[in-house]
Amino acid sequence: MEAHEQLPAWSLPADAVEGISIAVDWPERVDREWAWGGSTGAGVRVCILDSGIEAGHPLVGELEGAVAVSIGDDGETVVEEDAEGDLCGHGTACAGIIRALAPEARLFSVRVLGGGYTGSGRVLLAGLRWAVEQGFDVVNMSLSTTKLEFASTLHELADSAYFRRTVLVASAHNMPVASFPWRFAAVISVGSHEGTEPLELFYNPAPPVEFFARGVDIEVAWLGGGTIRASGNSFATPHVAGVCALVLAKHPELTPFQLKSVLHLTAANVGNA
């Protein structure tokens, strides 16, 4: 019997150690210049899982694609080209923020919300599952569900994304209630701060919210090619998603675990960041 056949499941045989060797090319000090200096987000695929995106909005520009997700009469997931676009403005606002930070990122819209911010947990799950299967680099989720019946499946999807190297960036609820998936450790959870610097992030040493980003009284893209002023964790979240796109464009080898470490090390309240 081979020696490694006596090991517990998921163990590492001695003769496999060399095969997982990882070169360390991080600098002695990880700072913003190393993390994203000079980056435009080029090539990074960012999915906005939301209410759709207004095609041709001047603050958003060209999309790589747009689909709408629904549940058919037979209970099966239906994913089809989105012919309606944004139904309430929310997704367009998130896309505009990401575009401003990472102008060369490849934006893709997955519509799971309808007019008036209406939606269902089943459609949210179906949309997220589809996005994870497509292998996007970053998925912006400025939405959540308070229904516990969906929490377990959301948790499984969040873990699946993590292991497949898709970064989920999710907003905390604007009310002090339990909702998901932002409370899961596999995602990057975001709340708002009152600052005015788009790239200024703060790490929260007392989770479940892990990072704070600009999200109070900001001008965001909205329907009709215009803008409005708005506040909320929903708009803080794409600031973090945009930073993730910048970092991944410059360092595409980073795993979600490593990327979260970079965000921590470059947060304005950590060390000399």
Side-chain angles (χ1 to χ4, degrees):
M1 178 180 292
E2 295 287 340
H4 63 78
E5 293 181 2
Q6 302 175 27
L7 292 174
W10 313 106
S11 298
L12 178 69
D15 58 6
V17 172
E18 186 175 345
I20 62 169
S21 177
I22 299 173
V24 177
D25 57 359
W26 286 36
E28 183 176 342
R29 178 174 177 270
V30 173
D31 58 18
R32 297 177 192 178
E33 178 58 33
W34 177 87
W36 67 73
S39 177
T40 61
V44 176
R45 301 176 69 229
V46 182
C47 169
I48 294 92
L49 192 75
D50 214 287
S51 63
I53 298 174
E54 181 177 282
H57 194 292
L59 296 181
V60 175
E62 184 178 354
L63 299 178
E64 180 178 280
V67 299
V69 179
S70 60
I71 304 297
D73 294 337
D74 58 358
E76 294 297 314
T77 299
V78 177
V79 180
E80 54 193 353
E81 186 174 349
D82 188 359
E84 296 183 273
D86 197 344
L87 300 181
C88 66
H90 196 262
T92 300
C94 294
I97 291 170
I98 295 171
R99 179 67 78 201
L101 294 179
E104 294 191 71
R106 298 159 59 188
L107 302 187
F108 197 106
S109 172
V110 175
R111 176 160 61 83
V112 294
L113 295 179
Y117 306 96
T118 58
S120 75
R122 291 178 65 205
V123 172
L124 171 61
L125 290 173
L128 179 57
R129 179 177 289 107
W130 186 86
V132 172
E133 290 172 351
Q134 301 313 301
F136 290 106
D137 299 302
V138 180
V139 177
N140 186 90
M141 299 184 66
S142 291
L143 71 175
S144 64
T145 179
T146 58
K147 296 181 179 178
L148 280 173
E149 63 192 278
F150 301 118
S152 177
T153 303
L154 271 175
H155 204 163
E156 291 175 9
L157 288 171
D159 283 347
S160 177
Y162 182 88
F163 293 129
R164 295 175 67 152
R165 306 184 90 168
T166 289
V167 177
L168 301 188
V169 186
S171 62
H173 202 288
N174 286 324
M175 300 297 290
V177 297
S179 65
F180 312 93
W182 70 271
R183 296 181 70 91
F184 301 144
V187 309
I188 295 173
S189 54
V190 187
S192 301
H193 70 63
E194 293 184 298
T196 59
E197 169 54 50
L199 292 173
E200 185 175 56
L201 308 180
F202 294 94
Y203 171 72
N204 180 18
V209 173
E210 290 180 297
F211 296 94
F212 301 112
R214 187 185 183 207
V216 178
D217 191 30
I218 60 176
E219 187 173 22
V220 297
W222 209 251
L223 298 184
T227 63
I228 63 168
R229 297 201 74 83
S231 298
N233 296 334
S234 286
F235 309 120
T237 301
H239 282 87
V240 176
V243 172
C244 288
L246 294 178
V247 176
L248 288 175
K250 192 171 181 181
H251 306 285
E253 75 283 357
L254 296 183
T255 66
F257 164 77
Q258 292 171 315
L259 177 59
K260 190 179 287 193
S261 297
V262 170
L263 294 180
H264 166 259
L265 292 170
T266 56
N269 61 320
V270 175
N272 297 314

